Amino acid sequence: MFRRNITLFYALESLTALFGGLILPVYVLYFRQYDVSLLQVAILAAVFEATVLVFELPTGIFADRRGRRLSVVFGFLGFALSGLIFFSFRNFTGFLVAEIVLGISETFISGALEALAVDSLDKTDRERILPTLFARRTAYKNTALIVGMIGAGVLARHYLTYLFLPVTLVALAGVPITLALREPARPTVTAESATPPLRSLLASIFSRTALPALFAVGLFSNFTYEGVDQYWQILFAELRRIDPVWFGLITSAGLVLVVVSAGLLKRWYRHITAYLSVGFMLMGVALYLAASGSLLFAVAGIVAFFALKELIRPAISTNINRTIDDHHRATVLSGYNLTCSAGEVLAGVGIGLLASRYGVVSVFLIAAISAVGVLLVYFAVLTATRNRV
């Protein structure tokens, strides 16, 4: 096992979380400072998601063929370039170009870094180590995310104009760390590994393993996630009358729960069906309480949602990586990320129409029902694939 690779993997995943944490809470404020309209903000978000959809698979194939380390280097350099564009060209057109560069850069990292880390594990011991790998990644990433969000608050209050300078420096820090990685030796070419990447991806998706069901969860879970992510602040500020000054604390409380409990729950990742069942059922209850419960239960519900959402991710990552082969790992992981991005786009449009017609509370109630619906889809796909002749 390349132990240094694993340590650097945690460092790089933490850097990407820090990068996002510095941007996500305040980027709309940054845009608005330069007269970007709310419609243009929505366009920028849509362009970013569309870029990810277009480039996710090509960059995954690039990583498998040309090297995962090289792909990650391109990703961090792209992050830095996007930060410089955001800082230097402060208008809608400049921000549009920066969003495209940011989206492409994310796809260079998303499948490649995880694939390199998994391939750095000894095959004989990989089954045992994978839960620990992803549980620790979850803890480190969420810790860095909390730090980033706190930093974003400070920047927004005092130095919003300079937001993307520290963001760029964080991205540049990822380049030398990535260069310190060792690219694991490529496995011996076999008939299976010689299969074209896209054919391998399709074969994985339509296999008789649990993988198709996990892809279905990645797609349909966004109908639970997106509505809450987009509208929870509106629900709590306008309907629950909570001062927005508490929002950072509410979000951080969920992330702290993740950091504390990720390592404790890793032993249950192998029982993926039971794990997902408990997770999404609890999420459904949490979202119902957020929409309809007393103020105390509503806050507890949204904190539980943030925690459960992040605790489900490492279990899925563990089980996907147990199933796929080394040769096309980055391609398949990119395919999963592509599926999730498609779910975000579809859910975002539907949830927006629902909110505009029926209000924010209805979004939360539908999200609670959708959490149970995700399980129904999971079991239906799991049964169908296992019964396939």
Side-chain angles (χ1 to χ4, degrees):
M1 180 174 72
F2 297 96
R3 295 187 182 277
R4 184 176 66 176
N5 275 9
I6 303 306
T7 301
L8 296 177
F9 168 68
Y10 296 142
L12 291 168
E13 288 282 15
S14 298
L15 273 180
T16 59
L18 180 62
F19 181 90
L22 287 169
I23 297 173
L24 289 176
V26 296
Y27 73 96
V28 174
L29 298 178
Y30 183 83
F31 291 162
R32 296 287 284 166
Q33 184 172 255
Y34 299 107
D35 300 321
V36 173
S37 69
L38 291 178
L39 175 60
Q40 289 174 325
V41 170
I43 292 173
L44 291 172
V47 166
F48 172 80
E49 292 296 341
T51 303
V52 171
L53 285 173
V54 171
F55 285 92
E56 189 71 67
L57 274 181
T59 54
I61 294 172
F62 173 87
D64 279 333
R65 289 185 170 177
R66 302 299 181 185
R68 284 78 181 264
R69 184 176 66 171
L70 179 61
S71 181
V72 176
V73 168
F74 283 167
F76 278 106
L77 287 174
F79 277 166
L81 177 59
S82 70
L84 289 175
I85 297 172
F86 276 123
F87 178 75
S88 302
F89 301 93
R90 298 171 178 178
N91 53 58
F92 177 69
T93 302
F95 295 155
L96 194 67
V97 174
E99 290 283 3
I100 293 172
V101 175
L102 182 64
I104 295 173
S105 304
E106 181 169 305
T107 64
F108 270 112
I109 295 175
S110 60
L113 182 56
E114 183 175 321
L116 190 150
V118 173
D119 289 347
S120 298
L121 303 174
D122 290 333
K123 281 191 175 183
T124 55
D125 212 23
R126 186 178 294 172
E127 182 79 10
R128 181 182 64 83
I129 298 176
L130 275 176
T132 300
L133 177 75
F134 291 115
R136 288 181 178 174
R137 177 182 71 172
T138 298
Y140 289 136
K141 284 190 70 170
N142 281 276
T143 300
L145 188 60
I146 293 172
V147 173
M149 292 171 66
I150 293 172
V154 174
L155 289 168
R157 174 165 292 188
H158 302 290
Y159 309 103
L160 184 59
T161 302
Y162 300 100
L163 172 66
F164 281 95
L165 283 182
V167 165
T168 300
L169 293 176
V170 169
L172 287 174
V175 176
I177 297 175
T178 303
L179 291 174
L181 291 168
R182 292 176 58 193
E183 187 86 48
R186 304 292 289 161
T188 304
V189 177
T190 62
E192 181 183 15
S193 65
T195 304
L198 290 181
R199 188 180 300 174
S200 176
L201 172 61
L202 292 174
S204 298
I205 293 175
F206 294 104
S207 65
R208 294 183 61 187
T209 66
L211 199 59
L214 295 177
F215 268 69
V217 170
L219 178 67
F220 287 100
S221 60
N222 286 286
F223 288 88
T224 298
Y225 300 157
E226 280 298 297
V228 183
D229 288 342
Q230 289 184 29
Y231 296 109
W232 78 270
Q233 295 181 25
I234 296 176
L235 175 72
F236 278 74
E238 298 181 6
L239 301 180
R240 294 291 187 173
R241 302 297 182 185
I242 295 178
D243 192 324
V245 74
W246 295 102
F247 288 178
L249 182 61
I250 290 173
T251 307
S252 297
L255 299 180
V256 169
L257 282 177
V258 174
V259 173
V260 171
S261 57
L264 300 175
L265 295 175
K266 65 183 181 181
R267 70 186 66 181
W268 299 104
Y269 293 173
R270 66 177 64 250
H271 309 291
I272 186 62
T273 297
Y275 190 95
L276 292 178
S277 297
V278 173
F280 279 106
M281 290 295 290
L282 288 176
M283 189 178 290
V285 173
L287 294 179
Y288 177 79
L289 291 175
S292 307
S294 66
L295 184 60
L296 180 62
F297 281 112
V299 172
I302 198 65
V303 169
F305 165 79
F306 290 136
L308 289 165
K309 179 182 175 183
E310 293 303 317
L311 290 170
I312 286 171
R313 297 182 194 274
I316 292 178
S317 293
T318 298
N319 283 274
I320 288 178
N321 278 286
R322 281 173 171 162
T323 304
I324 56 184
D325 69 274
D326 293 351
H327 294 85
H328 301 132
R329 188 178 304 279
T331 301
V332 177
L333 291 174
S334 292
Y336 176 75
N337 294 330
L338 174 65
T339 302
C340 294
S341 295
E344 289 178 10
V345 173
L346 293 173
V349 173
I351 292 299
L353 293 174
L354 180 67
S356 63
R357 184 165 185 176
Y358 298 106
V360 174
V361 173
S362 67
V363 170
F364 273 71
L365 295 177
I366 293 297
I369 295 170
S370 297
V372 179
V374 170
L375 291 177
L376 296 178
V377 171
Y378 171 79
F379 283 112
V381 175
L382 192 66
T383 301
T385 53
R386 289 181 174 174
N387 290 340
R388 187 183 298 129
V389 179

